[in-house]
Amino acid sequence: MLAPRSYTREDVVELQCHGNDVCLRRVLGACLEAGARLAEPGEFTLRAFLNGRLDLSQAENIGRLISAKSVAAADSALAGIQGGFSYLVKSLRKQCIELISEIEARLDFDDELPPLDSNMLINLIDDMWHDVRQALDTANYDKLLQSGLQIAIIGRPNVGKSSLLNAWSKSDRAIVTEIAGTTRDVVEANVTVQGIPVTLLDTAGIRETDDIVEKIGVQRSEAAALAADVIIMTISAVDGWTEDDTKLVEHIWKNQKSTGSAIPMILAINKIDCAPYFSVQTFEAVGNSFTKHVQTCAVTGKGIPELERAVLDVRGLDPIPAGGRRWTVNQRQFEQLLRTQEALSRLKSSINEELPMDFWTIDLREAALALGEISGEDISEEILSTIFGKFCIGK
Amino acid sequence: MLLRLRPMTAATTTVVRPHLSPRLSFFFHSSPSILSSSPIANFRPHRRRIFPSRWSPRRSLTTAASSAGQDWKDHAETIEERYDVIVVGGGHAGCEAALASARLGARTLLLTLNIDRIAWQPCNPAVGGPAKSQLVHEVDALGGEIGKIADRCYLQKRILNLSKGPAVRALRAQTDKREYAMEMKKVVESTSNLFIREAMVTEILVGKNDNVEGVQTFFGMNFYAPSIVLTTGTFMSGKIWVGRTSMPAGRAGESASQGLTESLQHLGFETDRLKTGTPARVDYRSVDFSGLEPQHGDEEVSWFSFDPEYHIEREQMCCYLTRTTKDTHQLIRDNLHETPTYGGWVEAKGPRYCPSIEDKIVRFQDKDSHQIFLEPEGRNVPELYVQGFSTGLPERLQLALLRTLPGLENCLMLRPAYAVEYDYLPAHQCSRSLMTKKFEGLFFSGQINGTTGYEEAAAQGLISGINAARHSYGKSVIILERESCFIGTLIDDLVTKDLREPYRMLTSRSEYRILLRADNADSRLTPLGREIGLIDDRRWNLYQSKQAHILEEKERLKAVRVSGGDFAAEVSRLSGQPVKDSSSLESLLKKPHIQYKVLDKHGYGNKLLSRIEKECVEIDIKYEGFIARQRSQLQQILNQQHRRLPEDLDYHSMRTLSLEAREKLSKVRPQTIGQASRVGGVNPADITALLIYLEASCRKSTEKKRQELLRSIPTEADGTGSSLATAAQA
């Protein structure tokens, strides 16, 4: 393949061999003997980046694609490679630079140019701000793609938490008996929800107990609830809402308040098959503690899809738009986007406070710098170390 | 060889002085009449001109230096013309260069085509304006002259861009052209160590080690010095044009300098051609000002110089504003083919930012009128400069063109507009010291580097003068970083960008201009000026007390608190923001639309501070957040930008660089990554590639060192095990 129409934008020779390991090795050996060397890990991508085929965020997505563990993660990496995000960053940066030059032209050649319309300018900056906001929002999703969701299933003993976990993960991961307090420790099971890896945590039923083992289990349940991304509070439709449930919820709330977190809670009304005439109305009194109500039957698996939807809903994860793959931003990109957003906010207040025009350029420049770091157009120490961290060079 | 001689050069300079005084006192007593006719400060030049270097004890030195040469006997018979620094050209670059060099103690010779035209302002009778004023303040802060002369000879002064922010605010002075030249000439003539001579330099003499040794003139004189500064302005192979008619000239009525271009080309320099122009001058008595908008000077006069000794107010003159009309535009459109550029017989590029009127009309088609300023050229001459109206049209059309302007319907023209074409040397051939990369000791400054403007010239002249003197003493050259000042920005742009049109300073050329303001030029540069040796004790004490005042005032504003009252009420009315009880003066000053004047008005100001000091305090406090932010942006970029590039980098072998980048970088040979990124044709990906190359080779060499270290440890610890250990390492 002749440059520049190859992955690296360099001349590339590709050898196609018979699908046999022995053949491949012999061909490779022949190449090495003839003076070729093996590529360093990531070297092709590095070259593609250096030759301007990819920008830094695209190159990063190639790394993510290779290490993707779920379909959704691979999809999002692909979307990133295709350049949706790169395009956004580039066009935002371009707008910043255009604005800077508009302003600077007026600083140097006032009489030749019409004055800037500050309303138009504010609108433009607002639009940019919202674009950045939206990109920032994908960071949540990105985090989920990379580390997945943790869902803690909590509740009084014997409401069917373990059955729910088993039904959801389609396994017998947790031991289920009629005896209250069977689950003593946290039991994990992995499922995939809309391509997102989810870890379900079945916990010991929370109650006052003197059993020392169960006591520790209860503590662990509470800890799991605090560390989770979503809490599913399970109750039994047979028992309805009890005093103990109220206590339990209040306890969880208190814990959350002391750590300053607000984990969304879903109420799963289990064993719905055993209480067919059960009325949701009963729960309105405690209803505002929960973001969603779902009725489930762990034995039949009824209500599990609804539960999944509820989880995605409460985490603000809209189902992926049909037809469009969705890119996400990683931590490094997130930080620079945040810097951009802050700069744009300051810029707006400078304009509103009627500060001299020259000062507007400082925050615009700040925004442009931050955006340039994302694409790798402006190079900082940080980018260099990213590059050296991602690709093996100079060994 | 010259290098070895340098210490002697310095030593002999100091020996010279005792010889001088008896002769001088003799002169002083014998001809008092000459002295009484000129100001005291002027007596020194005469001794210089009357006693040139004839008694120079350098003769022995010369013999030593030329003993390797063949014709030392011939030299011994004539007077040796040997100096530390030779400055070629007496314009705004040449004057600053010669003054700086001489003030640093270097025996300096200023060669000029015409002594009567020293420091002439061939175009605008003005100094300063946007970005240019920053240059003037900076030159002054370093101990240069242009600001003082402009302060002394102004006809009118105005602050421009007042509302656009403190960093783009600009002082502009209309100057009395003749007075300006005369005052500068007086200073040049009265400076010790500075000698002036009329001459046309035709050749640069170079030594065996790619060093300069001197210059040769048209009449066959040789002048020797280890440092030469060329400031040839528009004179080098200059040619002036009026319409289709041209003649060789540096300026109207002044002959061009011939032969030097060829000498430089012969030495391997790349030369190219640029063009600039100057508008017509009209007789102000023939202008009807009644319908024109007057432009008065500021009531409160501002100053270029930080030295209060030069802050002497004088009566101001008025400028007038007129505009081009439909007739102007029509006349030009009808006759475009008669102008050199559009007729196609002059190809050299003119300044985009100071365009001729025909350029403006062609380029801004939709503007039906352009501002034209009428500026007096002096207090005692009837000439008016028609700013914004330079043209290449033939003379027969020029008067008709002028008469299309309101107020000028019956005007008389004193001098026609003309364009001038001249040779310059693309400045990527210089390093940031303004010394050429090719020849040690050869410096370029001003229009020869492709700039336009007196201020740009003065700034470069100062730097090359300082460095020429330092070079001749064997001291290290001074380099001003891009982010430290506009002078640094100017020079950095010149040496990195492959400029093909005249370069004018603009505020937007500096990325960090909030830090590079007029008000803080002294705090940025005067300490350096002091270190270099151009700031005397008096100036230094003034500077230090000013800084102390500012610091004390900032402390006071932090400490003094206000609760309620008229003052608080006015602050909240002006700013539209509530004022909390017990607010510090500092916090009130930070509010929108609150200036130090408001503090003064309510008796909270500090009466001991000067207006200039108050302004410094106000800006520092009011825009503290922005200044801090820009400083941190700068810091972020700086570490990377200042990363030095090894001198021997082989760009052609870096296959990750684009072909164009390899070529441009090999040509310009930037000194830092920052410079490399500003070279035209080098894109960000190239810089990334370059950085990675550097980082990789740096890591490689650290790794190599580590390996060597590892190998050496067992050798030292245990001689017998060493071979084994090495083998294991390998």
Side-chain angles (χ1 to χ4, degrees):
Chain A
M1 282 169 283
L2 290 178
R5 307 182 67 174
S6 66
Y7 177 61
T8 57
R9 283 209 170 151
E10 293 166 357
D11 291 337
V12 173
V13 176
E14 224 175 78
L15 300 175
Q16 300 201 6
C17 316
H18 300 285
N20 177 325
D21 205 34
V22 178
C23 303
L24 290 177
R25 278 177 196 286
R26 289 180 72 176
V27 170
L28 188 61
C31 289
L32 292 177
E33 252 169 60
R37 70 167 172 81
L38 290 173
E40 310 280 2
E43 185 171 348
F44 282 101
T45 302
L46 175 68
R47 287 185 181 210
F49 167 58
L50 291 181
N51 292 329
R53 157 69 87 208
L54 303 168
D55 72 14
L56 192 57
S57 65
Q58 287 173 310
E60 282 173 320
N61 273 310
I62 288 178
R64 288 176 50 199
L65 179 62
I66 292 165
S67 59
K69 288 194 184 64
S70 66
V71 176
D75 275 351
S76 122
L78 264 176
I81 294 165
Q82 281 163 353
F85 177 57
S86 299
Y87 176 77
L88 176 74
V89 168
K90 249 179 220 151
S91 74
L92 284 172
R93 185 166 180 268
K94 204 175 126 208
Q95 287 183 59
C96 289
I97 290 170
E98 273 169 8
L99 275 179
I100 294 173
S101 46
E102 284 283 326
I103 293 170
E104 299 206 323
R106 278 161 184 82
L107 295 176
D108 280 318
F109 310 103
D110 194 22
D111 39 330
E112 306 288 346
L113 295 158
L116 278 179
D117 177 353
S118 61
N119 282 334
M120 193 207 72
L121 208 61
I122 293 266
N123 288 339
L124 189 65
I125 293 160
D126 271 336
D127 289 348
M128 289 165 68
W129 193 91
H130 284 293
D131 283 347
V132 173
R133 170 83 261 160
Q134 279 179 5
L136 277 171
D137 285 343
T138 69
N140 255 338
Y141 185 67
D142 183 76
K143 201 176 139 244
L144 295 181
L145 289 180
Q146 304 311 316
S147 52
L149 267 182
Q150 293 232 321
I151 300 177
I153 304 170
I154 60 163
R156 287 182 298 113
N158 219 358
V159 291
K161 298 183 293 294
S162 299
S163 310
L164 196 60
L165 175 125
N166 284 346
W168 201 340
S169 62
K170 298 188 181 74
S171 68
D172 294 327
R173 190 74 189 73
I175 301 165
V176 178
T177 69
E178 291 296 316
I179 304 158
T182 303
T183 308
R184 295 296 184 92
D185 204 346
V186 177
V187 177
E188 285 188 31
N190 292 316
V191 296
T192 310
V193 178
Q194 293 270 14
I196 299 168
V198 171
T199 308
L200 299 175
L201 303 171
D202 178 25
T203 63
I206 297 170
R207 65 170 171 183
E208 298 280 334
T209 175
D210 293 330
D211 182 331
I212 192 140
V213 178
E214 197 182 347
K215 218 173 190 170
I216 296 171
V218 169
Q219 280 168 11
R220 290 197 176 178
S221 301
E222 287 175 359
L226 270 180
D229 299 301
V230 177
I231 296 171
I232 295 181
M233 163 86 182
T234 316
I235 59 166
S236 161
V238 180
D239 303 342
W241 189 262
T242 66
E243 280 283 296
D244 284 348
D245 288 322
T246 311
K247 270 190 199 157
L248 202 158
V249 170
E250 277 168 0
H251 188 65
I252 297 283
W253 270 105
K254 217 174 77 197
N255 278 349
Q256 285 199 13
K257 240 180 221 158
S258 66
T259 57
S261 58
I263 303 160
M265 283 168 84
I266 296 169
L267 182 64
I269 304 150
N270 197 27
K271 302 190 182 178
I272 197 79
D273 54 325
C274 304
Y277 307 114
F278 175 78
S279 161
V280 183
Q281 314 270 308
T282 332
F283 302 104
E284 294 228 317
V286 289
N288 26 7
S289 298
F290 300 102
T291 334
K292 290 266 173 191
H293 296 184
V294 179
Q295 301 182 25
T296 57
C297 170
V299 183
T300 60
K302 189 171 168 256
I304 298 285
E306 286 80 4
L307 203 53
E308 289 189 349
R309 212 169 303 132
V311 167
L312 293 178
D313 263 8
V314 299
R315 292 301 314 184
L317 302 169
D318 304 327
I320 292 156
R325 286 207 188 86
R326 170 166 160 179
W327 45 260
T328 58
V329 300
N330 64 21
Q331 189 58 32
R332 185 187 77 82
Q333 295 158 349
F334 179 81
E335 280 163 18
Q336 297 304 331
L337 283 172
L338 206 60
R339 199 175 139 205
T340 311
Q341 194 185 31
E342 282 164 4
L344 291 175
S345 302
R346 280 195 306 262
L347 172 60
K348 268 201 296 190
S349 67
S350 294
I351 298 174
N352 287 331
E353 281 180 22
E354 295 174 357
L355 272 164
M357 211 160 48
D358 192 22
F359 291 110
W360 306 358
T361 61
I362 292 178
D363 286 313
L364 274 171
R365 194 160 267 137
E366 177 85 9
L369 268 175
L371 292 165
E373 290 227 349
I374 296 176
S375 59
E377 278 169 290
D378 282 323
I379 312 133
S380 66
E381 278 301 327
E382 193 201 341
I383 288 190
L384 257 196
S385 64
T386 306
I387 293 169
F388 275 83
K390 294 246 152 70
F391 313 107
C392 299
I393 320 166
K395 293 210 173 129
Chain B
M1 196 161 71
L2 272 171
L3 265 171
R4 263 192 289 122
L5 286 169
R6 261 183 216 132
M8 283 176 65
T9 317
T12 47
T13 315
T14 46
V15 175
V16 168
R17 285 187 185 123
H19 287 270
L20 200 63
S21 32
R23 281 167 184 274
L24 183 70
S25 54
F26 163 76
F27 171 68
F28 188 86
H29 290 300
S30 64
S31 40
S33 56
I34 295 179
L35 274 172
S36 59
S37 67
S38 51
I40 304 275
N42 267 4
F43 74 89
R44 288 208 221 121
H46 301 283
R47 80 176 160 184
R48 294 288 158 230
R49 274 196 275 165
I50 290 168
F51 303 112
S53 56
R54 90 170 68 118
W55 36 264
S56 167
R58 267 153 229 246
R59 197 170 305 166
S60 60
L61 195 148
T62 317
T63 333
S66 56
S67 60
Q70 320 82 347
D71 52 358
W72 64 273
K73 273 184 194 160
D74 297 343
H75 278 265
E77 284 160 18
T78 59
I79 295 162
E80 267 316 315
E81 294 285 1
R82 182 158 288 275
Y83 300 87
D84 295 328
V85 172
I86 296 172
V87 177
V88 180
H92 303 276
C95 286
E96 293 290 351
L99 286 172
S101 160
R103 283 168 178 167
L104 292 178
R107 228 174 102 83
T108 306
L109 174 68
L110 176 66
L111 294 176
T112 171
L113 286 166
N114 184 349
I115 289 181
D116 297 328
R117 281 286 179 271
I118 283 179
W120 192 243
Q121 298 180 317
C123 197
N124 250 9
V127 170
K132 289 166 177 270
S133 64
Q134 255 91 334
L135 288 174
V136 178
H137 291 301
E138 290 179 354
V139 168
D140 184 77
L142 282 169
E145 204 62 33
I146 184 172
K148 295 177 194 165
I149 306 288
D151 281 341
R152 190 183 285 170
C153 308
Y154 73 93
L155 296 176
Q156 181 196 85
K157 278 196 177 176
R158 291 182 68 203
I159 295 273
L160 313 175
N161 289 342
L162 201 55
S163 64
K164 287 185 196 166
V168 288
R169 223 168 264 176
L171 174 60
R172 184 184 151 99
Q174 299 301 136
T175 52
D176 185 316
K177 184 169 282 192
R178 276 158 195 80
E179 191 187 7
Y180 185 98
M182 209 165 64
E183 288 297 322
M184 182 64 101
K185 187 166 162 247
K186 274 189 211 162
V187 173
V188 169
E189 286 170 342
S190 61
T191 298
S192 326
N193 297 324
L194 181 48
F195 306 84
I196 307 170
R197 182 86 151 248
E198 275 191 2
M200 185 202 287
V201 169
T202 51
E203 204 167 317
I204 305 295
L205 307 173
V206 299
K208 285 181 184 141
N209 301 320
D210 281 348
N211 57 318
V212 291
E213 291 191 332
V215 295
Q216 191 170 64
T217 69
F218 185 78
F219 295 124
M221 279 294 291
N222 285 0
F223 297 94
Y224 296 99
S227 299
I228 312 283
V229 184
L230 291 188
T231 70
T232 52
T234 58
F235 281 79
M236 205 158 63
S237 308
K239 191 179 196 183
I240 62 171
W241 290 88
V242 177
R244 275 174 200 280
T245 319
S246 73
M247 66 170 162
R251 298 190 284 238
E254 293 180 69
S255 71
S257 134
Q258 306 290 357
L260 191 53
T261 308
E262 290 73 16
S263 166
L264 289 167
Q265 282 170 343
H266 185 71
L267 293 174
F269 284 105
E270 177 193 347
T271 68
D272 204 349
R273 214 135 164 85
L274 285 176
K275 186 198 85 172
T276 188
T278 191
R281 311 298 198 272
V282 298
D283 190 327
Y284 89 85
R285 293 164 298 190
S286 65
V287 177
D288 175 13
F289 294 105
S290 60
L292 301 184
E293 186 187 321
Q295 291 257 317
H296 296 286
D298 289 343
E299 271 178 36
E300 222 172 7
V301 176
S302 306
W303 308 97
F304 288 113
S305 178
F306 290 98
D307 186 346
E309 206 162 85
Y310 292 85
H311 299 181
I312 301 162
E313 287 200 34
R314 31 164 51 200
E315 200 187 325
Q316 299 199 51
M317 291 179 76
C318 192
C319 295
Y320 292 88
L321 178 60
T322 182
R323 307 194 69 99
T324 58
T325 58
K326 262 191 194 128
D327 292 343
T328 321
H329 292 226
Q330 195 55 48
L331 202 152
I332 284 172
R333 277 197 209 100
D334 291 346
N335 292 287
L336 267 184
H337 59 281
E338 299 263 20
T339 66
T341 313
Y342 296 96
W345 61 87
V346 171
E347 275 177 21
K349 285 244 173 68
R352 195 189 327 171
Y353 302 115
C354 184
S356 63
I357 188 66
E358 52 264 23
D359 275 349
K360 282 193 213 170
I361 285 167
V362 170
R363 279 180 29 213
F364 305 104
Q365 301 262 0
D366 45 346
K367 277 201 84 167
D368 47 18
S369 179
H370 296 273
Q371 288 185 341
I372 304 293
F373 290 93
L374 302 176
E375 304 170 349
E377 290 225 321
R379 292 181 193 274
N380 310 312
V381 288
E383 287 181 62
L384 268 182
Y385 178 90
V386 189
Q387 196 221 310
F389 212 60
S390 83
T391 178
L393 282 174
E395 190 169 350
R396 67 187 155 78
L397 293 171
Q398 286 190 17
L399 187 59
L401 189 67
L402 285 166
R403 288 184 171 181
T404 62
L405 300 176
L408 275 72
E409 293 88 349
N410 298 306
C411 76
L412 297 174
M413 186 163 73
L414 291 169
R415 302 171 197 250
Y418 67 91
V420 56
E421 252 192 303
Y422 54 96
D423 284 335
Y424 79 107
L425 283 84
H428 61 76
Q429 300 171 100
C430 292
S431 60
R432 283 185 292 166
S433 60
L434 292 177
M435 198 198 283
T436 57
K437 294 173 184 169
K438 249 191 187 83
F439 291 97
E440 208 181 295
L442 182 59
F443 297 81
F444 293 159
S445 276
Q447 277 164 310
I448 192 173
N449 278 339
T451 58
T452 159
Y454 314 143
E455 303 81 356
E456 287 85 346
Q460 293 170 67
L462 178 74
I463 300 304
S464 61
I466 291 170
N467 282 333
R470 292 176 70 91
H471 176 258
S472 74
Y473 287 147
K475 282 192 190 167
S476 62
V477 291
I478 299 285
I479 285 170
L480 297 177
E481 292 298 345
R482 179 182 185 83
E483 62 280 353
S484 70
C485 53
F486 272 88
I487 303 177
T489 311
L490 164 75
I491 294 174
D492 186 71
D493 274 348
L494 290 181
V495 302
T496 52
K497 293 180 176 159
D498 200 6
L499 301 164
R500 297 291 158 174
E501 61 176 298
Y503 179 100
R504 172 180 150 189
M505 202 64 222
L506 302 169
T507 53
S508 54
R509 298 214 195 254
S510 170
E511 300 84 347
Y512 315 108
R513 60 175 172 270
I514 297 286
L515 308 176
L516 312 185
R517 305 182 311 270
D519 64 277
N520 70 2
D522 56 345
S523 65
R524 287 183 284 121
L525 294 169
T526 298
L528 177 67
R530 174 73 174 172
E531 210 182 306
I532 292 170
L534 288 175
I535 298 293
D536 61 19
D537 290 345
R538 187 185 61 86
R539 270 291 284 275
W540 184 240
N541 291 337
L542 282 170
Y543 166 75
Q544 285 187 312
S545 81
K546 178 182 166 191
Q547 298 307 314
H549 284 159
I550 292 171
L551 208 68
E552 278 163 26
E553 177 64 1
K554 283 186 195 166
E555 292 300 318
R556 187 186 74 90
L557 293 176
K558 265 201 189 86
V560 176
R561 291 178 179 276
V562 184
S563 289
D566 288 352
F567 178 47
E570 173 146 27
V571 168
S572 85
R573 187 180 60 77
L574 286 172
S575 66
Q577 291 181 359
V579 174
K580 280 188 213 139
D581 268 0
S582 179
S583 296
S584 68
L585 290 178
E586 182 193 44
S587 69
L588 298 182
L589 195 54
K590 276 181 192 287
K591 290 189 181 293
H593 308 297
I594 304 301
Q595 293 169 318
Y596 197 99
K597 275 182 202 152
V598 185
L599 269 67
D600 274 340
K601 186 177 155 193
H602 291 268
Y604 286 98
N606 186 342
K607 289 193 181 71
L608 299 174
L609 287 196
S610 69
R611 177 165 61 95
I612 294 166
E613 288 163 344
K614 284 175 187 170
E615 192 189 308
C616 291
V617 170
E618 179 184 314
I619 293 171
D620 276 354
I621 288 181
K622 213 168 173 50
Y623 306 116
E624 198 180 11
F626 287 95
I627 293 169
R629 208 143 58 240
Q630 182 140 84
R631 197 155 272 147
S632 81
Q633 279 175 17
L634 181 61
Q635 270 312 319
Q636 188 201 326
I637 302 169
L638 227 54
N639 300 334
Q640 202 66 260
Q641 300 256 309
H642 281 189
R643 208 165 159 160
R644 292 201 76 81
L645 294 170
E647 303 240 325
D648 53 350
L649 271 186
D650 178 10
Y651 294 104
H652 288 294
S653 73
M654 290 182 214
R655 298 189 37 211
T656 43
L657 290 184
S658 69
L659 274 177
E660 191 183 1
R662 283 182 235 175
E663 212 162 277
K664 287 278 168 63
L665 290 170
S666 303
K667 183 174 170 185
V668 174
R669 301 215 70 82
Q671 290 165 314
T672 63
I673 279 284
Q675 285 194 309
S677 69
R678 292 184 288 274
V679 171
V682 175
N683 60 45
D686 293 320
I687 294 304
T688 313
L690 197 55
L691 277 171
I692 286 171
Y693 175 89
L694 290 179
E695 183 75 26
S697 46
C698 165
R699 285 179 185 217
K700 254 183 215 158
S701 71
T702 344
E703 179 66 14
K704 215 169 147 191
K705 268 185 210 145
R706 201 178 64 88
Q707 296 275 344
E708 274 162 16
L709 198 71
L710 280 175
R711 269 175 219 161
S712 66
I713 290 165
T715 330
E716 282 158 22
D718 174 16
T720 52
S722 66
S723 60
L724 241 171
T726 320
Q729 285 286 336

